Amino acid sequence: MAETAGSVMLARSAMGRAGPELQRPPGRPVRGTRRVSAALAGLAASARHELLTFDDPAASVARAIPEPFLELAGACMRAAAERAGEVRRIVPRHAVPYVADAVRVPGRARVAESIPFKMILVDRAVAAVPLDLQLHYNGLLLIRDPVVVQALVRAHHAAWDTSQELAGLTAPSPDLPPQLRPVLEALLAGLTDETAAARLGMSPRTYSRRVGELMAALGATSRFRAGAEAARRGWV
């Protein structure tokens, strides 16, 4: 644990050293949905040997993130995983219900009690870290500085060594909880959150929470995938 904490502190310190004029900034900030999407696609296309990630799919649930972006980000990472010879993904324990399909993704996945930040690191050459450390959608820092990249690799390796294999930990919910049936039907009907909440007699906040519960039960990171997974399980 001491090695993990030390590696994380080194990585964070290195990422924050862009201030003094005589130092070269360790990374390039990328903002805006189109630029972030292009950066993620470029990362996926460049993968050849190794893909290391800290991932928390639960962070995007119940957030106002467009589903096309979530689908694109997922497709990019699957493409990168298929190209890379070595794939290691670490997720926090609270996100296990959201990654029920992770064992079918190329490579290996492990569970840690928590992750220090989200990260995508390709071939030990370039990394993408969210500007807010949680969601790439809000902007990311593309890092190519070899010192910072090496610090991130060390942080990932230290966390990997103390984490648990994901395989066998995830299991889909056998039945749809009764209170979530109306929410699923509203999603499949394409109702807006405001219309669905009014029709179901819920406050918008309660409806949003129920949508999050439904997505957790389905292990989905977007509403589109939630519908597809519900159909696969025979819930519709």
Side-chain angles (χ1 to χ4, degrees):
M1 291 301 293
E3 182 181 358
T4 301
S7 297
V8 169
M9 289 178 64
L10 176 60
R12 283 179 165 165
S13 174
M15 284 190 291
R17 64 187 178 89
E21 292 79 358
L22 297 180
Q23 290 183 330
R24 179 165 59 92
R28 175 174 63 88
V30 178
R31 297 180 175 87
T33 303
R34 290 185 179 180
R35 290 189 175 90
V36 170
S37 297
L40 292 177
L43 275 176
S46 71
R48 292 293 182 274
H49 308 293
E50 183 182 64
L51 177 67
L52 306 178
T53 67
F54 285 128
D55 190 17
D56 184 1
S60 61
V61 174
R63 303 288 186 93
I65 301 177
E67 292 182 7
F69 179 87
L70 293 174
E71 291 298 315
L72 172 65
C76 286
M77 290 306 98
R78 287 191 295 273
E82 290 171 357
R83 288 193 185 95
E86 178 77 8
V87 179
R88 296 188 179 189
R89 178 188 186 193
I90 300 177
V91 300
R93 191 167 300 278
H94 72 258
V96 168
Y98 298 84
V99 289
D101 63 342
V103 293
R104 297 194 293 270
V105 175
R108 299 171 63 189
R110 286 189 173 183
V111 176
E113 289 306 316
S114 63
I115 59 174
F117 41 74
K118 291 192 71 170
M119 178 187 73
I120 302 166
L121 201 158
V122 174
D123 293 343
R124 304 194 183 192
V126 57
V129 176
L131 293 176
D132 64 3
L133 301 183
Q134 295 181 350
L135 295 171
H136 285 99
Y137 179 75
N138 294 334
L140 57 84
L141 188 70
L142 275 181
I143 303 170
R144 299 182 186 276
D145 185 297
V147 174
V148 182
V149 169
Q150 183 60 26
L152 293 171
V153 170
R154 289 179 58 185
H156 192 279
H157 283 188
W160 183 266
D161 289 341
T162 59
S163 56
Q164 180 182 5
E165 291 291 340
L166 176 62
L169 291 181
T170 58
S173 301
D175 298 301
L176 175 65
Q179 72 273 18
L180 298 182
R181 168 64 62 181
V183 177
L184 175 59
E185 293 174 351
L187 287 182
L188 295 176
L191 301 180
T192 66
D193 285 7
E194 292 78 8
T195 300
R199 184 171 297 184
L200 298 177
M202 303 177 183
S203 69
R205 184 186 297 272
T206 298
Y207 180 76
S208 178
R209 185 173 67 251
R210 291 286 175 84
V211 170
E213 292 172 1
L214 175 64
M215 293 173 67
L218 290 164
T221 57
S222 75
R223 297 184 182 195
F224 175 82
R225 293 184 65 183
E229 178 63 16
R232 188 187 70 81
R233 296 188 187 187
W235 288 4
V236 294

